[in-house]
Amino acid sequence: MRIEDLNTKYMGKELEYHETINSTNIRAKEWAKQGAKEGSLVIAEYQSAGKGRLGRTWLSPKGEGIWMSLILKPFLEISKIPQITLVAGLCMSQAIQKVTGLKTEIKWPNDIVVNNKKIAGILTELSASTNSINSVVVGIGVNVNNQVLDTSIPYATSLALEGNKVYEREEIIKEFLNLFEVNYEQYIKEKSIVFLLADYKERCVNLNKEVIILNNQQEYIGYVQNINDEGSLEVRKLDNTIETIFTGEVSVRGLYGYV
Ligand code: BTN
């Protein structure tokens, strides 16, 4: 990627590029510890041990997708970190739509969806000591030009398969970094996601839908009635009680499939 083409002040300006790596998140955490600046970015063509949420693996074939991790060093309470992932998810959704023209949606908390199938995911990892944050690594995987997909995820797809076209990965990365820098700065200033919640809700596929929640071995059906100002999901259960779900180790599925 040509850094001089970036319009950002610092997002992605320090860039580490790898042909092959185990996981860009692992490398980014290491780099952060070694003193990487905020906005430093690790990109790889291939990940041999790409990590997904909930302990899953993330298939990262060579040259076909965007496998990257952004290092942030925010002054925030630890409980607010999941909100950064929502900001990143919205920006990536917008960036993909702008570059490809495909309509993108978000499955809460941060899967990006095209035609009801997953094209991108985010894994945010925090390194903190007692109560202060050392760094936050936002790892983003986007299936861009993949022709063959992980068969263990039947609902996965790629931009190329949905758009019948090969896309420039760089264009998407650049658009994302531009959008993310502006939105991240506003988020850090306001310490609130309220300014982007309307956009997020508009794209959210689970809002006003019945879902199945899988949380710590517990599984129940509910109706998503709101995403609150903290970015949590408000789910009305069948007994009419309301459960507020914070982003974390939770999986949300549609009643009849992925969304
Ligand atoms: C998910 O939806 O489960 C999250 C997937 C996150 C994958 C990306 S690819 C780049 C970065 N490095 C990793 O090992 N994982 C993230």
Side-chain angles (χ1 to χ4, degrees):
M1 193 164 77
R2 292 192 25 213
I3 294 198
E4 56 269 33
D5 290 346
L6 269 176
N7 295 329
T8 58
K9 288 181 282 180
Y10 56 92
M11 287 295 172
K13 288 276 173 162
E14 298 276 333
L15 178 70
E16 214 184 74
Y17 170 83
H18 298 265
E19 277 291 332
T20 297
I21 203 163
N22 49 5
S23 152
T24 55
N25 266 34
I26 294 177
R27 175 56 199 141
K29 281 191 281 183
E30 205 177 75
W31 191 13
K33 236 190 254 165
Q34 293 161 347
K37 286 193 216 146
E38 175 150 88
S40 299
L41 184 67
V42 181
I43 300 189
E45 290 291 343
Y46 169 71
Q47 295 186 117
S48 57
K51 298 192 287 178
R53 284 180 72 233
L54 311 169
R56 299 185 185 121
T57 52
W58 183 264
L59 217 65
S60 319
K62 189 172 168 58
E64 297 195 343
I66 296 170
W67 325 126
M68 67 177 189
S69 302
L70 197 54
I71 298 169
L72 303 172
K73 302 200 159 172
F75 293 101
L76 276 179
E77 284 166 39
I78 290 177
S79 63
K80 293 217 160 253
I81 298 306
Q83 296 177 347
I84 295 182
T85 322
L86 300 182
V87 179
L90 176 65
C91 292
M92 187 46 100
S93 166
Q94 290 169 333
I96 291 170
Q97 184 155 336
K98 183 152 182 220
V99 172
T100 66
L102 295 168
K103 182 171 188 282
T104 60
E105 295 176 296
I106 301 172
K107 185 168 90 70
W108 185 95
N110 38 51
D111 285 1
I112 298 169
V113 169
V114 172
N115 297 329
N116 289 337
K117 283 171 276 177
K118 177 166 177 171
I119 46 122
I122 303 183
L123 175 68
T124 298
E125 294 187 272
L126 165 73
S127 118
S129 51
T130 358
N131 236 338
S132 72
I133 294 167
N134 296 328
S135 66
V136 175
V137 166
V138 181
I140 307 180
V142 187
N143 295 331
V144 181
N145 294 319
N146 317 42
Q147 293 298 332
V148 180
L149 288 149
D150 191 344
T151 47
S152 67
I153 313 179
Y155 49 83
T157 189
S158 71
L159 294 172
L161 287 174
E162 296 308 308
N164 283 318
K165 232 178 109 173
V166 168
Y167 295 101
E168 283 292 331
R169 290 173 300 167
E170 279 179 24
E171 292 300 313
I172 297 171
I173 296 171
K174 273 190 272 176
E175 191 59 43
F176 167 76
L177 291 169
N178 286 336
L179 281 170
F180 185 69
E181 184 171 272
V182 174
N183 284 278
Y184 173 72
E185 282 191 357
Q186 185 164 352
Y187 170 66
I188 293 298
K189 204 167 88 199
E190 297 177 7
K191 295 193 168 42
S192 158
I193 56 162
V194 167
F195 74 95
L196 53 71
L197 209 49
D199 283 346
Y200 186 96
K201 284 182 181 177
E202 210 168 283
R203 281 171 190 266
C204 183
V205 284
N206 330 85
L207 191 57
N208 303 321
K209 291 250 180 69
E210 286 194 297
V211 293
I212 300 176
I213 307 283
L214 270 136
N215 200 357
N216 295 327
Q217 318 296 339
Q218 248 197 330
E219 191 175 316
Y220 58 89
I221 291 177
Y223 178 82
V224 180
Q225 61 172 31
N226 191 23
I227 297 167
N228 71 16
D229 289 356
E230 301 298 317
S232 300
L233 216 56
E234 283 179 6
V235 179
R236 181 156 32 84
K237 292 161 79 171
L238 294 176
D239 63 5
N240 272 331
T241 57
I242 310 291
E243 188 95 13
T244 303
I245 304 171
F246 298 95
T247 60
E249 301 290 285
V250 59
S251 154
V252 181
R253 285 291 162 85
L255 230 40
Y256 307 106
Y258 170 62
V259 294

